[in-house]
Amino acid sequence: MQSREMPYSVTIAPSMTLREMMETYGPDVWNYAFFLTRSREQASDISQEVFLKAYKSVGKYRGQATLKTWLLTITRNTAFSWRRNSFWRRFAPLGDREDTGKAALSAEKEAIGNQYANRIWEIIMELPDKYREVLVLDIQQDLSVAEMSALLGIAQGTVKSRLGRARNKVRTAIKEEDL
């Protein structure tokens, strides 16, 4: 390979380049990320991030586990960080849940958290279109009020009021179901 392809020709494991690693383990990393997130977009983003992290931390790979296991560990950690940083941060205003700051959750608490997140999404998907649309643009796409206003062709004040009403409807549903 030519030296201009430096990022893809870096040797990761004995005689394996980054490109070969991506071709060999890319489908496994993507499938695992999809399993964890249930989202094609997030799985693709996470997969890219995994290989970037692997490239940056290749010196930390000690060879104690197979390369595939190392990559899947990075995938799992990245997916959980992704979910924690992107999903829960945006839902903080919806509930009265406090972050306990504990680094590791038990399997039971993690499963309950997943059920909680899934139920919140079900509640969101049951909202009327105009509320669901702004909430999903806020949560999934991380658009600003101005960006949503331009995208939807409505005033920024209307976006703000719809977001407020949508959040209130979700909060009310959560309280009614005692989540």
Side-chain angles (χ1 to χ4, degrees):
M1 297 199 155
Q2 297 175 356
S3 62
R4 289 185 181 149
E5 296 183 56
M6 173 65 178
Y8 292 102
S9 62
V10 172
T11 301
I12 302 295
S15 74
M16 183 175 273
T17 65
L18 180 58
R19 180 184 304 267
E20 291 168 340
M21 182 176 65
M22 291 171 71
E23 290 172 358
T24 303
Y25 300 109
D28 295 325
V29 167
W30 189 91
N31 286 330
Y32 189 49
F34 180 76
F35 169 77
L36 293 171
T37 63
R38 289 183 234 139
S39 164
R40 292 181 184 279
E41 295 84 25
Q42 286 181 2
S44 295
D45 290 343
I46 289 169
S47 296
Q48 290 176 3
E49 192 170 330
V50 164
F51 287 108
L52 285 173
K53 285 180 178 182
Y55 173 72
K56 289 178 182 177
S57 62
V58 68
K60 295 178 184 178
Y61 176 62
R62 297 179 304 234
Q64 291 177 322
T66 65
L67 186 58
K68 180 178 179 177
T69 302
W70 183 62
L71 290 170
L72 293 180
T73 300
I74 295 171
T75 304
R76 183 178 190 275
N77 293 337
T78 302
F80 287 167
S81 293
W82 186 279
R83 185 174 15 182
R84 192 171 42 251
N85 293 334
S86 125
F87 182 82
W88 292 114
R89 181 184 75 232
R90 292 185 187 122
F91 270 111
L94 292 177
D96 297 322
R97 299 171 53 106
E98 292 183 18
D99 184 12
T100 59
K102 295 180 182 174
L105 295 175
S106 70
E108 181 180 348
K109 286 183 181 179
E110 188 174 324
I112 290 170
N114 289 341
Q115 287 177 342
Y116 180 76
N118 290 339
R119 183 59 193 134
I120 288 174
W121 276 111
E122 289 172 4
I123 291 168
I124 290 170
M125 297 313 284
E126 293 168 359
L127 291 174
D129 290 344
K130 65 183 184 179
Y131 299 130
R132 182 178 64 232
E133 187 172 35
V134 292
L135 199 54
V136 168
L137 288 172
D138 179 48
I139 294 167
Q140 282 191 327
Q141 303 301 324
D142 199 23
L143 296 181
S144 69
V145 170
E147 291 170 323
M148 284 187 267
S149 172
L151 178 72
L152 300 173
I154 58 178
Q156 288 186 25
T158 304
V159 171
K160 289 177 185 178
S161 78
R162 285 183 185 178
L163 272 173
R165 288 183 181 133
R167 289 178 179 140
N168 284 336
K169 287 180 180 290
V170 172
R171 259 191 226 111
T172 301
I174 288 170
K175 286 179 183 176
E176 286 175 0
E177 292 185 22
D178 198 25
L179 290 178

